[in-house]
Amino acid sequence: EVMLTSERYSVQRLPFSPLSDSDVAFFEGIMPGRVITDPEELKPFNVDWLKSVRGCSKLMLKPQTTAEVSQVLRYCYEKNLAVNPQGGNTGLVGGSVPVFDEIILSTALMNRVISFDKVSGILVCQAGCVLEKLNEYLEEQGFIMPLDLGAKGSCHIGGNVATNAGGLRLLRYGSLRGTVLGLEVVLADGSALDCLASLRKDNTGYDLKQLFIGSEGTLGVITAVSILCPQKPKAVNLAFLGCQSFTKVLETFTTCRAMLGEILSAYEFMDEKCMELVEKHLKLSSPVAGSPFYVLIETSGSSSTHDEEKLNSFLEQAMTSGLVTDGTVATDDKKIKASHRFLFLRERITEALTHEGCVYKYDISLPVAKLYDLVSDTRARLGQSAKNVVGYGHLGDGNLHLNITAESYSHALLDAIEPFVYEWTARHNGSISAEHGLGFKKKQFIQYSKPSEAVLLMQRLKAMLDPKGILNPYKMLPSSS
């Protein structure tokens, strides 16, 4: 058995073939110079971003084309070699690194934009394109990506689709299940499935791409994506507000949605603990001080005067009715720098937390009214055994990021958190993973969010599409035994 972080993750290696010299020689033949076997070079790809799980892969392949991915998988399928598809490796549930010695199949060199249609706004690109690079490319054409994540500088669009990543723009542009129009996927046996349609409407048969969106690399390797991109908003405004209670945060949201309507693009909240940590570790100062809760509102529209008017009348209403005690707005260009600072504060909470020692991260969906109760209840339950218990997230989508920090890893602390957090979430009809997926760390907890019939059907789909189980094993689905 191998221990990863704790014995609760103990898992046995399935009977896949070990890697041989002839295997490495075969891959060298397909893609000379793009086969990595040097243990030092492999180190960063064997460990996740949080440094909480570690594998021991002896080989990383860097294909450039779908044909190469096909050849690799066909060979691995024949030889019974397990494969771990990997994008930017920015995941938070251990889904993107090997558990044992799986071959790492990296999309890093599959970073070509295939086409962009300026009339429809449809972008077709390879899976290894970095999200931020795609956004820069689109901005030059007057468009943007429909998703925005804190990890945008290193995450890949293929990984985003494979994990159905949510992020800051979901409130406005919806999830990837709606904006991804088509996919090209290589199946476990090496056959390529070309469903790269560039149509908004296509009702011909089952929508196969949805199987792969959010499947975390367990059903196929996404090699290319067709995605609908919105026009770049001409006017983006941000407001950073202070609220005295979570009830006020909720009331502010209701007022905000009613008064800002279609221009509301993000509504994020964080508690004062988050702000303290960002100020302490990253030396960033808050534009608004001394509130138990902070709210970040973003509007995006096509007319700056119209949007500013709406935003100002909303703020006036929020201030006079006592929902908001303090606030600051970034509208015109002079203030855009300030607005970037607002977003920067919110995006860097994750990073600030890592400076605190060991971080236990939970990504939960709940009915919005109950969102912060989980933080309060967890804080009360853990008392002095945790250093910090903080809550922040995408309030507009009912998505809470609950983070607990401690000086160092403690088995007793983890036992106090899990399954308490999952039971609490299930009791309030929430989901134990709003956007990070299940990966390696949460797969055994799927029953808190899905009935056993659903899990069984998932396992049958997996067995049908990947009969030998070579694709991203030990991830997402609980062991059948």
Side-chain angles (χ1 to χ4, degrees):
E1 287 201 340
V2 63
M3 299 297 184
L4 299 175
T5 313
S6 82
E7 51 262 37
R8 76 177 53 219
Y9 293 144
S10 66
V11 55
Q12 257 164 342
R13 186 183 183 279
L14 293 169
F16 298 113
S17 306
L19 190 69
S20 70
D21 291 345
S22 61
D23 298 331
V24 177
F26 173 81
F27 295 127
E28 269 292 356
I30 310 177
M31 48 181 102
R34 291 181 278 124
V35 175
I36 317 292
T37 52
D38 172 24
E40 272 310 301
E41 215 178 318
L42 284 168
K43 251 188 197 157
F45 304 99
N46 261 311
V47 67
D48 73 326
W49 187 81
L50 288 170
K51 303 203 170 20
S52 64
V53 284
R54 190 184 304 273
C56 48
S57 175
K58 297 171 183 64
L59 176 71
M60 179 162 77
L61 304 175
K62 292 182 148 183
Q64 284 176 321
T65 64
T66 303
E68 287 176 349
V69 176
S70 270
Q71 279 178 287
V72 167
L73 287 182
R74 190 176 307 124
Y75 182 87
C76 290
Y77 191 72
E78 273 168 29
K79 301 282 184 188
N80 196 34
L81 291 161
V83 176
N84 180 105
Q86 189 177 88
N89 196 14
T90 59
L92 298 172
V93 287
S96 58
V97 290
V99 177
F100 295 96
D101 54 349
E102 300 91 281
I103 294 167
I104 300 171
L105 184 64
S106 166
T107 51
L109 299 179
M110 300 185 73
N111 56 5
R112 227 166 28 85
V113 169
I114 298 165
S115 65
F116 179 63
D117 182 333
K118 281 181 81 164
V119 179
S120 64
I122 296 168
L123 169 78
V124 182
C125 65
Q126 283 186 301
C129 292
V130 171
L131 182 58
E132 193 167 42
K133 292 268 186 292
L134 287 176
N135 207 59
E136 285 164 6
Y137 167 85
L138 289 168
E139 282 200 356
E140 287 171 17
Q141 330 251 351
F143 287 80
I144 55 168
M145 287 299 281
L147 75 161
D148 182 23
L149 311 171
K152 60 180 169 240
S154 40
C155 64
H156 296 181
I157 189 64
N160 296 153
V161 172
T163 55
N164 187 30
L168 301 157
R169 287 178 182 161
L170 191 131
L171 181 64
R172 177 69 180 273
Y173 300 120
S175 81
L176 287 171
R177 294 199 177 278
T179 51
V180 170
L181 303 177
L183 291 178
E184 178 186 63
V185 180
V186 177
L187 302 177
D189 65 1
S191 52
L193 179 68
D194 182 354
C195 290
L196 211 52
S198 294
L199 302 166
R200 291 286 301 275
K201 292 181 163 182
D202 176 11
N203 274 355
T204 49
Y206 302 132
D207 189 358
L208 295 176
K209 69 174 180 291
Q210 294 296 350
L211 263 184
F212 301 99
I213 299 173
S215 68
E216 302 189 46
T218 61
L219 298 180
V221 177
I222 295 170
T223 50
V225 177
S226 164
I227 188 164
L228 181 68
C229 303
Q231 277 201 295
K232 184 183 175 183
K234 290 193 178 66
V236 175
N237 298 321
L238 282 116
F240 200 90
L241 316 172
C243 291
Q244 289 305 306
S245 68
F246 190 70
T247 308
K248 295 265 165 76
V249 171
L250 291 175
E251 288 174 30
T252 305
F253 176 57
T254 311
T255 310
C256 174
R257 206 172 35 182
M259 294 184 72
L260 298 178
E262 76 293 342
I263 64 167
L264 177 63
S265 53
Y267 190 98
E268 302 284 313
F269 90 98
M270 62 196 91
D271 60 20
E272 66 185 326
K273 258 288 171 247
C274 291
M275 188 56 73
E276 273 172 37
L277 295 177
V278 168
E279 291 183 331
K280 176 176 153 190
H281 296 297
L282 307 178
K283 307 287 179 265
L284 294 167
S285 61
S286 165
V288 174
S291 294
F293 291 93
Y294 297 97
V295 168
L296 172 75
I297 294 168
E298 183 191 61
T299 66
S300 3
S302 51
S303 154
S304 53
T305 44
H306 169 262
D307 292 4
E308 274 175 50
E309 248 169 60
K310 273 189 159 178
L311 190 56
N312 288 329
S313 61
F314 154 69
L315 282 171
E316 201 175 312
Q317 166 78 24
M319 294 289 229
T320 52
S321 60
L323 292 179
V324 169
T325 41
D326 195 358
T328 175
V329 183
T331 49
D332 55 42
D333 284 350
K334 282 198 294 293
K335 293 181 190 158
I336 284 301
K337 283 223 170 21
S339 75
H340 280 311
R341 199 176 92 224
F342 297 174
L343 267 177
F344 204 50
L345 280 169
R346 160 62 183 88
E347 283 182 355
R348 293 186 69 191
I349 296 171
T350 309
E351 186 189 335
L353 284 158
T354 56
H355 289 275
E356 282 286 287
C358 181
V359 189
Y360 304 82
K361 304 184 82 68
Y362 299 90
D363 157 51
I364 307 286
S365 260
L366 283 166
V368 185
K370 293 267 179 252
L371 207 60
Y372 202 74
D373 292 354
L374 175 56
V375 184
S376 311
D377 287 4
T378 306
R379 197 175 277 150
R381 177 181 168 87
L382 300 179
Q384 296 304 303
S385 58
K387 200 166 153 187
N388 285 301
V389 177
V390 307
Y392 65 97
H394 316 296
L395 188 109
D397 316 322
N399 181 188
L400 168 75
H401 294 309
L402 167 70
N403 285 247
I404 297 141
T405 67
E407 286 300 343
S408 57
Y409 173 77
S410 143
H411 197 57
L413 179 57
L414 189 59
D415 280 341
I417 303 169
E418 294 176 12
F420 167 78
V421 165
Y422 300 138
E423 285 167 354
W424 196 103
T425 303
R427 207 165 49 244
H428 294 89
N429 304 317
S431 163
I432 65 159
S433 180
E435 56 181 6
H436 298 165
L438 295 166
F440 176 72
K441 293 193 207 167
K442 290 189 179 180
K443 62 173 188 158
Q444 299 299 352
F445 299 116
I446 192 171
Q447 76 275 9
Y448 287 105
S449 288
K450 291 287 183 290
S452 54
E453 296 80 0
V455 177
L456 190 65
L457 185 56
M458 290 180 204
Q459 285 166 330
R460 283 164 63 191
L461 280 167
K462 167 76 173 168
M464 182 186 78
L465 286 170
D466 180 13
K468 295 187 177 180
I470 65 164
L471 283 178
N472 221 10
Y474 324 106
K475 315 282 174 65
M476 202 173 107
L477 294 175
S479 320
S480 322
S481 55

PDB file of all heavy atoms in Angstrom, residues 135-167:
ATOM      1  N   ASN A 135      -7.400  34.144 -23.609  1.00  0.00           N
ATOM      2  CA  ASN A 135      -8.120  35.386 -23.330  1.00  0.00           C
ATOM      3  C   ASN A 135      -7.429  36.576 -23.983  1.00  0.00           C
ATOM      4  O   ASN A 135      -8.073  37.442 -24.569  1.00  0.00           O
ATOM      5  CB  ASN A 135      -8.250  35.595 -21.824  1.00  0.00           C
ATOM      6  CG  ASN A 135      -9.465  36.420 -21.476  1.00  0.00           C
ATOM      7  OD1 ASN A 135     -10.598  36.054 -21.784  1.00  0.00           O
ATOM      8  ND2 ASN A 135      -9.245  37.564 -20.874  1.00  0.00           N
ATOM      9  N   GLU A 136      -6.080  36.590 -23.930  1.00  0.00           N
ATOM     10  CA  GLU A 136      -5.318  37.678 -24.566  1.00  0.00           C
ATOM     11  C   GLU A 136      -5.532  37.663 -26.076  1.00  0.00           C
ATOM     12  O   GLU A 136      -5.724  38.700 -26.699  1.00  0.00           O
ATOM     13  CB  GLU A 136      -3.820  37.536 -24.238  1.00  0.00           C
ATOM     14  CG  GLU A 136      -3.478  37.947 -22.810  1.00  0.00           C
ATOM     15  CD  GLU A 136      -2.101  37.450 -22.359  1.00  0.00           C
ATOM     16  OE1 GLU A 136      -1.343  36.879 -23.201  1.00  0.00           O
ATOM     17  OE2 GLU A 136      -1.776  37.623 -21.163  1.00  0.00           O
ATOM     18  N   TYR A 137      -5.494  36.469 -26.661  1.00  0.00           N
ATOM     19  CA  TYR A 137      -5.704  36.313 -28.106  1.00  0.00           C
ATOM     20  C   TYR A 137      -7.083  36.856 -28.498  1.00  0.00           C
ATOM     21  O   TYR A 137      -7.241  37.593 -29.475  1.00  0.00           O
ATOM     22  CB  TYR A 137      -5.570  34.830 -28.479  1.00  0.00           C
ATOM     23  CG  TYR A 137      -6.064  34.461 -29.863  1.00  0.00           C
ATOM     24  CD1 TYR A 137      -5.238  34.604 -30.975  1.00  0.00           C
ATOM     25  CD2 TYR A 137      -7.363  33.976 -30.047  1.00  0.00           C
ATOM     26  CE1 TYR A 137      -5.692  34.273 -32.247  1.00  0.00           C
ATOM     27  CE2 TYR A 137      -7.829  33.633 -31.313  1.00  0.00           C
ATOM     28  CZ  TYR A 137      -6.992  33.793 -32.410  1.00  0.00           C
ATOM     29  OH  TYR A 137      -7.451  33.469 -33.670  1.00  0.00           O
ATOM     30  N   LEU A 138      -8.096  36.503 -27.698  1.00  0.00           N
ATOM     31  CA  LEU A 138      -9.472  36.923 -27.995  1.00  0.00           C
ATOM     32  C   LEU A 138      -9.680  38.412 -27.786  1.00  0.00           C
ATOM     33  O   LEU A 138     -10.396  39.063 -28.552  1.00  0.00           O
ATOM     34  CB  LEU A 138     -10.461  36.151 -27.122  1.00  0.00           C
ATOM     35  CG  LEU A 138     -10.651  34.669 -27.465  1.00  0.00           C
ATOM     36  CD1 LEU A 138     -11.424  33.982 -26.356  1.00  0.00           C
ATOM     37  CD2 LEU A 138     -11.373  34.499 -28.793  1.00  0.00           C
ATOM     38  N   GLU A 139      -9.043  38.960 -26.758  1.00  0.00           N
ATOM     39  CA  GLU A 139      -9.213  40.393 -26.471  1.00  0.00           C
ATOM     40  C   GLU A 139      -8.777  41.253 -27.652  1.00  0.00           C
ATOM     41  O   GLU A 139      -9.378  42.284 -27.930  1.00  0.00           O
ATOM     42  CB  GLU A 139      -8.468  40.784 -25.189  1.00  0.00           C
ATOM     43  CG  GLU A 139      -9.220  40.376 -23.941  1.00  0.00           C
ATOM     44  CD  GLU A 139      -8.793  41.139 -22.692  1.00  0.00           C
ATOM     45  OE1 GLU A 139      -7.850  41.955 -22.780  1.00  0.00           O
ATOM     46  OE2 GLU A 139      -9.408  40.922 -21.629  1.00  0.00           O
ATOM     47  N   GLU A 140      -7.740  40.799 -28.346  1.00  0.00           N
ATOM     48  CA  GLU A 140      -7.279  41.537 -29.537  1.00  0.00           C
ATOM     49  C   GLU A 140      -8.365  41.576 -30.614  1.00  0.00           C
ATOM     50  O   GLU A 140      -8.398  42.463 -31.445  1.00  0.00           O
ATOM     51  CB  GLU A 140      -6.011  40.891 -30.112  1.00  0.00           C
ATOM     52  CG  GLU A 140      -4.778  41.156 -29.252  1.00  0.00           C
ATOM     53  CD  GLU A 140      -3.569  40.349 -29.704  1.00  0.00           C
ATOM     54  OE1 GLU A 140      -3.577  39.849 -30.857  1.00  0.00           O
ATOM     55  OE2 GLU A 140      -2.618  40.226 -28.905  1.00  0.00           O
ATOM     56  N   GLN A 141      -9.259  40.579 -30.583  1.00  0.00           N
ATOM     57  CA  GLN A 141     -10.338  40.514 -31.578  1.00  0.00           C
ATOM     58  C   GLN A 141     -11.659  41.071 -31.027  1.00  0.00           C
ATOM     59  O   GLN A 141     -12.691  40.993 -31.685  1.00  0.00           O
ATOM     60  CB  GLN A 141     -10.580  39.055 -31.997  1.00  0.00           C
ATOM     61  CG  GLN A 141      -9.369  38.162 -31.947  1.00  0.00           C
ATOM     62  CD  GLN A 141      -8.886  37.787 -33.329  1.00  0.00           C
ATOM     63  OE1 GLN A 141      -9.552  38.062 -34.321  1.00  0.00           O
ATOM     64  NE2 GLN A 141      -7.733  37.168 -33.408  1.00  0.00           N
ATOM     65  N   GLY A 142     -11.598  41.581 -29.780  1.00  0.00           N
ATOM     66  CA  GLY A 142     -12.815  42.149 -29.203  1.00  0.00           C
ATOM     67  C   GLY A 142     -13.706  41.147 -28.492  1.00  0.00           C
ATOM     68  O   GLY A 142     -14.901  41.390 -28.292  1.00  0.00           O
ATOM     69  N   PHE A 143     -13.139  39.997 -28.105  1.00  0.00           N
ATOM     70  CA  PHE A 143     -13.910  38.967 -27.390  1.00  0.00           C
ATOM     71  C   PHE A 143     -13.178  38.576 -26.115  1.00  0.00           C
ATOM     72  O   PHE A 143     -12.044  39.002 -25.896  1.00  0.00           O
ATOM     73  CB  PHE A 143     -14.085  37.723 -28.280  1.00  0.00           C
ATOM     74  CG  PHE A 143     -15.068  37.920 -29.410  1.00  0.00           C
ATOM     75  CD1 PHE A 143     -14.696  38.590 -30.574  1.00  0.00           C
ATOM     76  CD2 PHE A 143     -16.366  37.426 -29.313  1.00  0.00           C
ATOM     77  CE1 PHE A 143     -15.600  38.787 -31.624  1.00  0.00           C
ATOM     78  CE2 PHE A 143     -17.269  37.609 -30.355  1.00  0.00           C
ATOM     79  CZ  PHE A 143     -16.898  38.289 -31.509  1.00  0.00           C
ATOM     80  N   ILE A 144     -13.833  37.748 -25.278  1.00  0.00           N
ATOM     81  CA  ILE A 144     -13.172  37.199 -24.087  1.00  0.00           C
ATOM     82  C   ILE A 144     -13.572  35.732 -23.923  1.00  0.00           C
ATOM     83  O   ILE A 144     -14.542  35.281 -24.523  1.00  0.00           O
ATOM     84  CB  ILE A 144     -13.550  37.951 -22.774  1.00  0.00           C
ATOM     85  CG1 ILE A 144     -15.079  37.976 -22.582  1.00  0.00           C
ATOM     86  CG2 ILE A 144     -12.963  39.339 -22.736  1.00  0.00           C
ATOM     87  CD1 ILE A 144     -15.538  38.439 -21.202  1.00  0.00           C
ATOM     88  N   MET A 145     -12.832  35.015 -23.079  1.00  0.00           N
ATOM     89  CA  MET A 145     -13.225  33.651 -22.737  1.00  0.00           C
ATOM     90  C   MET A 145     -14.422  33.713 -21.787  1.00  0.00           C
ATOM     91  O   MET A 145     -14.504  34.635 -20.974  1.00  0.00           O
ATOM     92  CB  MET A 145     -12.075  32.910 -22.046  1.00  0.00           C
ATOM     93  CG  MET A 145     -10.938  32.509 -22.965  1.00  0.00           C
ATOM     94  SD  MET A 145     -11.448  31.385 -24.290  1.00  0.00           S
ATOM     95  CE  MET A 145     -11.504  29.814 -23.403  1.00  0.00           C
ATOM     96  N   PRO A 146     -15.334  32.734 -21.868  1.00  0.00           N
ATOM     97  CA  PRO A 146     -16.491  32.775 -20.967  1.00  0.00           C
ATOM     98  C   PRO A 146     -16.163  32.347 -19.537  1.00  0.00           C
ATOM     99  O   PRO A 146     -17.039  32.340 -18.690  1.00  0.00           O
ATOM    100  CB  PRO A 146     -17.476  31.792 -21.610  1.00  0.00           C
ATOM    101  CG  PRO A 146     -16.625  30.850 -22.384  1.00  0.00           C
ATOM    102  CD  PRO A 146     -15.430  31.623 -22.837  1.00  0.00           C
ATOM    103  N   LEU A 147     -14.900  31.975 -19.268  1.00  0.00           N
ATOM    104  CA  LEU A 147     -14.551  31.616 -17.890  1.00  0.00           C
ATOM    105  C   LEU A 147     -13.281  32.332 -17.464  1.00  0.00           C
ATOM    106  O   LEU A 147     -12.437  32.675 -18.296  1.00  0.00           O
ATOM    107  CB  LEU A 147     -14.415  30.103 -17.710  1.00  0.00           C
ATOM    108  CG  LEU A 147     -13.192  29.364 -18.243  1.00  0.00           C
ATOM    109  CD1 LEU A 147     -13.043  28.013 -17.555  1.00  0.00           C
ATOM    110  CD2 LEU A 147     -13.307  29.152 -19.742  1.00  0.00           C
ATOM    111  N   ASP A 148     -13.191  32.566 -16.160  1.00  0.00           N
ATOM    112  CA  ASP A 148     -12.038  33.257 -15.592  1.00  0.00           C
ATOM    113  C   ASP A 148     -11.737  32.615 -14.246  1.00  0.00           C
ATOM    114  O   ASP A 148     -12.614  32.499 -13.399  1.00  0.00           O
ATOM    115  CB  ASP A 148     -12.368  34.740 -15.407  1.00  0.00           C
ATOM    116  CG  ASP A 148     -11.182  35.532 -14.864  1.00  0.00           C
ATOM    117  OD1 ASP A 148     -10.038  35.069 -15.046  1.00  0.00           O
ATOM    118  OD2 ASP A 148     -11.390  36.598 -14.261  1.00  0.00           O
ATOM    119  N   LEU A 149     -10.504  32.161 -14.070  1.00  0.00           N
ATOM    120  CA  LEU A 149     -10.126  31.465 -12.838  1.00  0.00           C
ATOM    121  C   LEU A 149      -8.875  32.093 -12.251  1.00  0.00           C
ATOM    122  O   LEU A 149      -8.062  32.658 -12.984  1.00  0.00           O
ATOM    123  CB  LEU A 149      -9.804  29.989 -13.134  1.00  0.00           C
ATOM    124  CG  LEU A 149     -10.799  29.175 -13.959  1.00  0.00           C
ATOM    125  CD1 LEU A 149     -10.195  27.841 -14.320  1.00  0.00           C
ATOM    126  CD2 LEU A 149     -12.077  28.975 -13.184  1.00  0.00           C
ATOM    127  N   GLY A 150      -8.700  31.913 -10.959  1.00  0.00           N
ATOM    128  CA  GLY A 150      -7.475  32.382 -10.313  1.00  0.00           C
ATOM    129  C   GLY A 150      -6.232  31.752 -10.925  1.00  0.00           C
ATOM    130  O   GLY A 150      -5.164  32.352 -10.970  1.00  0.00           O
ATOM    131  N   ALA A 151      -6.362  30.520 -11.446  1.00  0.00           N
ATOM    132  CA  ALA A 151      -5.206  29.784 -11.995  1.00  0.00           C
ATOM    133  C   ALA A 151      -5.007  30.032 -13.483  1.00  0.00           C
ATOM    134  O   ALA A 151      -4.276  29.307 -14.146  1.00  0.00           O
ATOM    135  CB  ALA A 151      -5.393  28.287 -11.753  1.00  0.00           C
ATOM    136  N   LYS A 152      -5.645  31.101 -14.023  1.00  0.00           N
ATOM    137  CA  LYS A 152      -5.670  31.281 -15.486  1.00  0.00           C
ATOM    138  C   LYS A 152      -4.292  31.353 -16.145  1.00  0.00           C
ATOM    139  O   LYS A 152      -4.160  31.032 -17.318  1.00  0.00           O
ATOM    140  CB  LYS A 152      -6.470  32.527 -15.842  1.00  0.00           C
ATOM    141  CG  LYS A 152      -5.927  33.816 -15.251  1.00  0.00           C
ATOM    142  CD  LYS A 152      -6.780  35.010 -15.653  1.00  0.00           C
ATOM    143  CE  LYS A 152      -6.392  36.239 -14.854  1.00  0.00           C
ATOM    144  NZ  LYS A 152      -7.521  36.755 -14.080  1.00  0.00           N
ATOM    145  N   GLY A 153      -3.268  31.757 -15.386  1.00  0.00           N
ATOM    146  CA  GLY A 153      -1.931  31.870 -15.963  1.00  0.00           C
ATOM    147  C   GLY A 153      -1.280  30.534 -16.273  1.00  0.00           C
ATOM    148  O   GLY A 153      -0.321  30.464 -17.043  1.00  0.00           O
ATOM    149  N   SER A 154      -1.803  29.447 -15.679  1.00  0.00           N
ATOM    150  CA  SER A 154      -1.180  28.146 -15.950  1.00  0.00           C
ATOM    151  C   SER A 154      -2.151  27.027 -16.300  1.00  0.00           C
ATOM    152  O   SER A 154      -1.737  26.008 -16.834  1.00  0.00           O
ATOM    153  CB  SER A 154      -0.302  27.721 -14.766  1.00  0.00           C
ATOM    154  OG  SER A 154      -0.922  28.045 -13.551  1.00  0.00           O
ATOM    155  N   CYS A 155      -3.463  27.190 -16.016  1.00  0.00           N
ATOM    156  CA  CYS A 155      -4.385  26.092 -16.334  1.00  0.00           C
ATOM    157  C   CYS A 155      -4.633  26.003 -17.841  1.00  0.00           C
ATOM    158  O   CYS A 155      -4.531  26.989 -18.562  1.00  0.00           O
ATOM    159  CB  CYS A 155      -5.699  26.262 -15.575  1.00  0.00           C
ATOM    160  SG  CYS A 155      -6.649  27.722 -16.022  1.00  0.00           S
ATOM    161  N   HIS A 156      -4.943  24.783 -18.305  1.00  0.00           N
ATOM    162  CA  HIS A 156      -5.199  24.551 -19.731  1.00  0.00           C
ATOM    163  C   HIS A 156      -6.705  24.444 -19.979  1.00  0.00           C
ATOM    164  O   HIS A 156      -7.430  23.909 -19.137  1.00  0.00           O
ATOM    165  CB  HIS A 156      -4.572  23.221 -20.190  1.00  0.00           C
ATOM    166  CG  HIS A 156      -3.082  23.186 -20.108  1.00  0.00           C
ATOM    167  ND1 HIS A 156      -2.351  22.082 -20.489  1.00  0.00           N
ATOM    168  CD2 HIS A 156      -2.176  24.102 -19.694  1.00  0.00           C
ATOM    169  CE1 HIS A 156      -1.062  22.328 -20.320  1.00  0.00           C
ATOM    170  NE2 HIS A 156      -0.930  23.536 -19.830  1.00  0.00           N
ATOM    171  N   ILE A 157      -7.158  24.864 -21.142  1.00  0.00           N
ATOM    172  CA  ILE A 157      -8.584  24.802 -21.467  1.00  0.00           C
ATOM    173  C   ILE A 157      -9.094  23.353 -21.445  1.00  0.00           C
ATOM    174  O   ILE A 157     -10.210  23.094 -21.009  1.00  0.00           O
ATOM    175  CB  ILE A 157      -8.910  25.516 -22.800  1.00  0.00           C
ATOM    176  CG1 ILE A 157     -10.432  25.637 -23.007  1.00  0.00           C
ATOM    177  CG2 ILE A 157      -8.262  24.830 -23.995  1.00  0.00           C
ATOM    178  CD1 ILE A 157     -11.165  26.493 -22.003  1.00  0.00           C
ATOM    179  N   GLY A 158      -8.267  22.404 -21.860  1.00  0.00           N
ATOM    180  CA  GLY A 158      -8.688  20.998 -21.837  1.00  0.00           C
ATOM    181  C   GLY A 158      -8.962  20.525 -20.422  1.00  0.00           C
ATOM    182  O   GLY A 158      -9.954  19.846 -20.153  1.00  0.00           O
ATOM    183  N   GLY A 159      -8.083  20.916 -19.499  1.00  0.00           N
ATOM    184  CA  GLY A 159      -8.271  20.583 -18.084  1.00  0.00           C
ATOM    185  C   GLY A 159      -9.486  21.293 -17.513  1.00  0.00           C
ATOM    186  O   GLY A 159     -10.237  20.735 -16.710  1.00  0.00           O
ATOM    187  N   ASN A 160      -9.691  22.549 -17.934  1.00  0.00           N
ATOM    188  CA  ASN A 160     -10.880  23.291 -17.501  1.00  0.00           C
ATOM    189  C   ASN A 160     -12.154  22.544 -17.895  1.00  0.00           C
ATOM    190  O   ASN A 160     -13.086  22.407 -17.101  1.00  0.00           O
ATOM    191  CB  ASN A 160     -10.933  24.686 -18.149  1.00  0.00           C
ATOM    192  CG  ASN A 160      -9.798  25.604 -17.746  1.00  0.00           C
ATOM    193  OD1 ASN A 160      -9.423  26.505 -18.489  1.00  0.00           O
ATOM    194  ND2 ASN A 160      -9.212  25.375 -16.586  1.00  0.00           N
ATOM    195  N   VAL A 161     -12.175  22.052 -19.146  1.00  0.00           N
ATOM    196  CA  VAL A 161     -13.361  21.342 -19.641  1.00  0.00           C
ATOM    197  C   VAL A 161     -13.486  19.980 -18.949  1.00  0.00           C
ATOM    198  O   VAL A 161     -14.566  19.570 -18.544  1.00  0.00           O
ATOM    199  CB  VAL A 161     -13.301  21.190 -21.180  1.00  0.00           C
ATOM    200  CG1 VAL A 161     -14.423  20.292 -21.680  1.00  0.00           C
ATOM    201  CG2 VAL A 161     -13.389  22.563 -21.853  1.00  0.00           C
ATOM    202  N   ALA A 162     -12.362  19.297 -18.775  1.00  0.00           N
ATOM    203  CA  ALA A 162     -12.373  17.974 -18.145  1.00  0.00           C
ATOM    204  C   ALA A 162     -12.882  18.042 -16.704  1.00  0.00           C
ATOM    205  O   ALA A 162     -13.453  17.088 -16.193  1.00  0.00           O
ATOM    206  CB  ALA A 162     -10.986  17.346 -18.184  1.00  0.00           C
ATOM    207  N   THR A 163     -12.665  19.191 -16.055  1.00  0.00           N
ATOM    208  CA  THR A 163     -13.133  19.328 -14.672  1.00  0.00           C
ATOM    209  C   THR A 163     -14.370  20.221 -14.586  1.00  0.00           C
ATOM    210  O   THR A 163     -14.820  20.549 -13.493  1.00  0.00           O
ATOM    211  CB  THR A 163     -12.029  19.940 -13.778  1.00  0.00           C
ATOM    212  OG1 THR A 163     -11.613  21.181 -14.366  1.00  0.00           O
ATOM    213  CG2 THR A 163     -10.832  19.018 -13.657  1.00  0.00           C
ATOM    214  N   ASN A 164     -14.892  20.652 -15.747  1.00  0.00           N
ATOM    215  CA  ASN A 164     -16.027  21.576 -15.790  1.00  0.00           C
ATOM    216  C   ASN A 164     -15.799  22.757 -14.842  1.00  0.00           C
ATOM    217  O   ASN A 164     -16.631  23.079 -13.992  1.00  0.00           O
ATOM    218  CB  ASN A 164     -17.333  20.847 -15.432  1.00  0.00           C
ATOM    219  CG  ASN A 164     -18.562  21.722 -15.633  1.00  0.00           C
ATOM    220  OD1 ASN A 164     -18.575  22.603 -16.494  1.00  0.00           O
ATOM    221  ND2 ASN A 164     -19.588  21.496 -14.858  1.00  0.00           N
ATOM    222  N   ALA A 165     -14.647  23.406 -14.980  1.00  0.00           N
ATOM    223  CA  ALA A 165     -14.256  24.498 -14.077  1.00  0.00           C
ATOM    224  C   ALA A 165     -15.299  25.613 -14.078  1.00  0.00           C
ATOM    225  O   ALA A 165     -15.894  25.921 -15.107  1.00  0.00           O
ATOM    226  CB  ALA A 165     -12.897  25.037 -14.507  1.00  0.00           C
ATOM    227  N   GLY A 166     -15.504  26.220 -12.905  1.00  0.00           N
ATOM    228  CA  GLY A 166     -16.524  27.274 -12.778  1.00  0.00           C
ATOM    229  C   GLY A 166     -15.900  28.653 -12.837  1.00  0.00           C
ATOM    230  O   GLY A 166     -15.741  29.244 -13.882  1.00  0.00           O
ATOM    231  N   GLY A 167     -15.536  29.167 -11.667  1.00  0.00           N
ATOM    232  CA  GLY A 167     -14.812  30.438 -11.642  1.00  0.00           C
ATOM    233  C   GLY A 167     -15.685  31.676 -11.562  1.00  0.00           C
ATOM    234  O   GLY A 167     -16.875  31.627 -11.285  1.00  0.00           O
TER     235      GLY A 167
END
